[in-house]
Amino acid sequence: VQLQASGGGLVQPGGSLRLSCAASGLTFGSYDMAWFRQAPGKEREFVVGINWSGGVTSYADSVKGRFTISRDNPKNTVYLQMNSLKPEDTAVYYCAARYGRASVISRLERDFGSWGQGTLVTVSS
C-alpha cells in the first residue's frame, strides 16, 4: 500500500488549501481514510476521517465547519478542503488508511495500518 499526499504549502490566515492523497496497491473502496496532523513540538492528532463509501465522516472539533473531507473511489483519492485557515493549523498533514468497513470511524493512530509521507501546511502572514 502506498499513500502519496500532496497540496501543502504556505497560505495566509483566512486562506484555503486542498490536500490530496492518492492511494495505490489496495482496494481503495475497502478502506476508511483519515487525515492526521502533527504541529511542531506536538503529538500527531486526528483531523478528519471518512468511511469507505464516503457516506460517513468525522471531524475534530478544531476543524469542524472549516475543513471538508471527500473521496473519489474510482480515482483512489481522498481530499481535504481546508478553508478559513488559522496559524494553529500549521502542521505536517498525513493521510492514513484503515482496512475494513467499520461502523464507526476510528480516531486512533493505531487503527490505521498505512500512512503517507506527509505534506507541510504553513499558515502565516
Side-chain angles (χ1 to χ4, degrees):
V1 175
Q2 284 195 319
L3 303 176
Q4 182 70 40
S6 61
L10 174 63
V11 62
Q12 292 187 341
S16 298
L17 278 177
R18 189 175 84 151
L19 306 184
S20 299
C21 176
S24 60
L26 76 169
T27 304
F28 191 64
S30 295
Y31 285 75
D32 292 346
M33 300 296 295
W35 290 93
F36 290 76
R37 68 185 180 186
Q38 186 167 22
K42 295 187 176 181
E43 294 186 350
R44 191 155 57 183
E45 63 177 359
F46 172 85
V47 178
V48 58
I50 189 167
N51 79 327
W52 61 275
S53 70
V56 180
T57 56
S58 177
Y59 292 86
D61 288 345
S62 58
V63 306
K64 202 171 293 184
R66 300 187 298 122
F67 290 12
T68 303
I69 190 171
S70 61
R71 65 190 294 160
D72 186 335
N73 282 359
K75 293 185 177 180
N76 285 10
T77 303
V78 62
Y79 304 98
L80 180 60
Q81 178 66 44
M82 305 185 294
N83 299 328
S84 303
L85 282 161
K86 305 175 181 180
E88 51 264 42
D89 294 318
T90 295
V92 177
Y93 284 71
Y94 299 89
C95 60
R98 180 190 184 196
Y99 177 74
R101 298 176 175 179
S103 58
V104 177
I105 295 173
S106 174
R107 299 186 174 206
L108 302 177
E109 288 187 53
R110 65 172 182 261
D111 287 339
F112 290 84
S114 300
W115 292 80
Q117 85 288 0
T119 185
L120 176 62
V121 172
T122 303
V123 184
S124 174
S125 55

